[in-house]
Amino acid sequence: MPRAMLASFARRITTSDLTILSDEKLTPTRLRIELLSGLTVALALVPEAVAFAFVAGVHPLVGLYAAFLVGLITALIGGRPGMISGATGALAVVMVALVAQHGVEYLFATVVLMGLLQIFAGVMQWGKFIRLVPHPVMLGFVNGLAIVIFLAQLTQFKVPGSVVSNGHGMTGGEWLSGMQLFLMLGLVALTMGIIWATPKITKVIPAPLAGIGIVAAIVIAMGLDVPRVGDLASIQGGLPAFHIPVVPLNYETFQIILPYAVILAAIGLIESLLTLNLVGEMTGKRGGASQECVAQGVANTVTGFFGGMGGCAMIGQSMINVKSGGRTRVAGIAAALFLLVFILFASPIIEVIPLAALVGVMFMVVIGTFAWNSLKILAKVPLMDAFVIVLVTVVTVYSDLAVAVVVGVIVSALAYAWNNARRIHAKTRDSVTDHGAKVYEIQGPLFFGSADGFAELFDVAGDPDVVIVDFADSRVVDQSALQAIEALAAKYEAAGKVIKLRHLSHDCHRLLKKAGHLVVDSDDDPDYELAVDYNVRTGILGGH
């Protein structure tokens, strides 16, 4: 079975994914767009990777190596061409406690285990469960993430080197002031203006790249005193080297890293799969959720052995790529390779780029990511859906993405269960086939939420000796439903009366037969061409 699943996965990774459509070739024009998109993404990745490394309490190169390796591997074999992956803040805030208590080597071991867990999730095809995330949760996710991206950029308005990690994230720092602050704000606004205007003038180069290039040229030519990439840290380094994490290979180590690995794997997959869906909606092309799980897992496993902090899909960088025209795997591969070139050869050039230009790019990403239409529909959608949108947004900002999505799904599921529980009711009539019998026609599903309501539908004392419960418009869903049926049958049995079930669907029939509640197993047609009444056996579940 696992071999068949792996074979199926391998068949989905084809070179045709390098193009937007199966019948479209990778033309020189398309290649130019993809390469420029990759360059734009790589420039924006540098300060993000360095900042997230600081959050996690590790050397900047640990973040940069993660951005390179995770970005390259997921671009090659990921489930959604056009997505960008790398070191992220959602993972960094979890890693910081591990690094502070046990050191960076334990982080590398955790990243390896995190990757193996993600590979397992992909092979088991658990990625499909992302379909259970309701649309209000998606809206809350993108809104919350847009706010998080915005808040993360505010640290660039502080004096470089004054922001430190406190074991939970970045804190402290002295805000820019005077002319330096005004210059920073002005350059951010200029970058945003250029990005807005460029598509109206030319589409030869991506608008974010134009904004970064023009603002950087102005700052360098005029010698303006504003924070630059090099003020965060030097990005110069060599090729990432293979490195087995130096940790004791014993059960105690496993106990330390397993909880972190599980949390990181869950956060990474949730953020990656939600980003996959979002990018798919923007590009009009579906992605492979299970394939993305495996790709993220392989990327993190490899990264852990090469001194990287691990990562997942980055919604901000993915938005930059898509809006710059990137649609294929070429853009993601190019972004990773450009980042490696920056580390090896071009650090002196990259380090003079003003942070204001990159902040301006990210602010435009925030504007494009936030679902502004969700503000308009809050008063039009059901109250519970509006509440879920706001709840997921707030939890994303104040906690983390994984918690926000889980909370949103749970609240949505409970709301759905409550609404369905209220729908159960019954129509009563005299039986046409059984003289003197009374028929209860059940409407709505019978499950844990509606079991109590189901019991209240019947008048045991006032009913005739034979009662027929018709499930033509209902379904018996779970153990609580079985318990409710058995309890009802016990009441009628105690009153010396008979209760029969009619019009059971295939799934209801199997459920009741398996539990042992059906006295007979007739060859009736659950599609109601032939109706058979079933007596109910009591005492199966014990009445508790």
Side-chain angles (χ1 to χ4, degrees):
M1 187 66 173
R3 183 179 298 177
M5 286 190 290
L6 288 173
S8 175
F9 167 73
R11 284 195 296 271
R12 290 200 298 269
I13 304 177
T14 61
T15 54
S16 63
D17 285 339
L18 288 173
T19 59
I20 302 175
L21 302 173
S22 57
D23 58 348
E24 183 176 344
K25 296 182 179 180
L26 197 61
T27 63
T29 300
R30 169 50 52 188
L31 183 61
R32 173 182 58 79
I33 293 173
E34 298 296 322
L35 292 176
L36 291 177
S37 295
L39 176 59
T40 307
V41 169
L43 291 171
L45 271 173
V46 173
E48 296 278 300
V50 171
F52 295 146
F54 283 148
V55 170
V58 297
H59 192 278
L61 281 176
V62 175
L64 290 168
Y65 287 155
F68 162 63
L69 289 169
V70 175
L72 178 63
I73 294 172
T74 55
L76 285 169
I77 63 173
R80 170 64 268 173
M83 278 177 58
I84 303 296
S85 297
T88 64
L91 300 180
V93 295
V94 177
M95 297 172 178
V96 61
L98 174 64
V99 174
Q101 294 177 25
H102 301 284
V104 71
E105 293 295 332
Y106 278 82
L107 172 61
F108 297 150
T110 301
V111 171
V112 172
L113 181 56
M114 163 193 174
L116 295 175
L117 292 174
Q118 291 177 326
I119 292 173
F120 179 76
V123 172
M124 296 301 294
Q125 298 187 348
W126 289 349
K128 61 187 176 184
F129 290 113
I130 200 67
R131 301 172 186 170
L132 298 178
V133 177
H135 192 254
V137 175
M138 278 293 295
L139 290 177
F141 156 71
V142 296
N143 289 350
L145 217 50
I147 295 172
V148 168
I149 294 171
F150 172 79
L151 294 176
Q153 305 312 307
L154 297 184
T155 59
Q156 311 300 351
F157 289 88
K158 294 184 177 182
V159 176
S162 64
V163 183
V164 296
S165 175
N166 66 352
H168 299 285
M170 302 304 288
T171 186
E174 178 185 350
W175 292 98
L176 297 174
S177 59
M179 184 55 68
Q180 205 173 31
L181 176 60
F182 288 120
L183 279 174
M184 184 79 170
L185 291 171
L187 291 173
V188 168
L190 177 61
T191 304
M192 295 173 70
I194 294 172
I195 294 173
W196 175 80
T198 298
K200 304 178 185 300
I201 300 172
T202 180
K203 294 185 178 180
V204 175
I205 60 173
L209 183 59
I212 294 172
I214 293 173
V215 172
I218 293 173
V219 169
I220 295 171
M222 300 181 65
L224 299 179
D225 182 23
V226 291
R228 307 191 186 194
V229 172
D231 295 329
L232 294 176
S234 173
I235 67 168
Q236 186 173 9
L239 287 169
F242 181 77
H243 168 77
I244 298 177
V246 184
V247 296
L249 297 178
N250 54 35
Y251 183 67
E252 182 181 355
T253 299
F254 183 73
Q255 283 184 306
I256 293 172
I257 67 175
L258 179 61
Y260 288 101
V262 171
I263 294 172
L264 291 171
I267 293 174
L269 290 183
I270 290 173
E271 184 162 356
S272 298
L273 293 176
L274 290 177
T275 303
L276 179 142
N277 284 352
L278 188 63
V279 173
E281 289 179 6
M282 295 183 65
T283 59
K285 187 176 180 181
R286 294 181 60 187
S290 297
Q291 182 175 333
E292 184 63 30
C293 292
V294 173
Q296 293 288 335
V298 171
N300 282 308
T301 302
V302 172
T303 300
F305 283 118
F306 281 86
M309 61 183 281
C312 64
M314 307 178 73
I315 187 172
Q317 311 303 329
S318 298
M319 292 301 100
I320 292 176
N321 184 45
V322 171
K323 296 192 176 186
S324 297
R327 295 291 187 277
T328 73
R329 298 188 186 278
V330 173
I333 295 170
L337 295 179
F338 276 127
L339 185 59
L340 181 62
V341 170
F342 296 163
I343 296 171
L344 297 178
F345 310 111
S347 58
I349 299 174
I350 302 303
E351 289 173 7
V352 299
I353 294 177
L355 291 175
L358 301 175
V359 171
V361 172
M362 296 311 295
F363 278 176
M364 292 300 286
V365 169
V366 168
I367 294 173
T369 301
F370 194 91
W372 299 100
N373 66 313
S374 64
L375 300 178
K376 298 179 181 178
I377 67 173
L378 282 178
K380 300 178 181 179
V381 299
L383 181 61
M384 183 53 66
D385 288 344
F387 172 73
V388 169
I389 293 172
V390 175
L391 176 65
V392 174
T393 300
V394 172
V395 176
T396 299
V397 173
Y398 287 98
S399 182
D400 63 63
L401 171 67
V403 172
V405 172
V406 170
V407 168
V409 171
I410 290 175
V411 171
S412 298
L414 290 175
Y416 175 80
W418 176 252
N419 288 333
N420 275 277
R422 293 162 55 193
R423 291 177 182 171
I424 194 160
H425 62 281
K427 297 179 181 178
T428 60
R429 61 175 175 82
D430 293 332
S431 175
V432 177
T433 57
D434 294 80
H435 182 69
K438 182 178 180 180
V439 178
Y440 283 86
E441 295 179 346
I442 307 300
Q443 313 283 322
L446 178 55
F447 68 113
F448 68 89
S450 60
D452 288 343
F454 171 77
E456 295 171 359
L457 299 175
F458 298 87
D459 179 15
V460 178
D463 282 344
D465 292 339
V466 178
V467 172
I468 299 172
V469 184
D470 193 329
F471 285 94
D473 296 316
S474 181
R475 290 293 183 274
V476 181
V477 177
D478 57 12
Q479 189 270 339
S480 295
L482 298 178
Q483 182 70 59
I485 293 173
E486 180 178 311
L488 180 67
K491 290 180 181 179
Y492 278 103
E493 188 178 273
K497 301 177 181 180
V498 176
I499 184 172
K500 298 181 178 182
L501 310 183
R502 177 179 292 178
H503 285 152
L504 294 172
S505 64
H506 287 286
D507 51 343
C508 303
H509 188 279
R510 284 193 299 268
L511 189 64
L512 286 160
K513 180 186 174 186
K514 182 178 180 181
H517 284 88
L518 296 186
V519 175
V520 293
D521 181 20
S522 298
D523 296 325
D524 68 318
D525 185 346
D527 293 323
Y528 317 140
E529 291 182 11
L530 175 64
V532 173
D533 295 333
Y534 295 98
N535 294 321
V536 182
R537 180 182 290 120
T538 59
I540 302 298
L541 301 178
H544 298 288

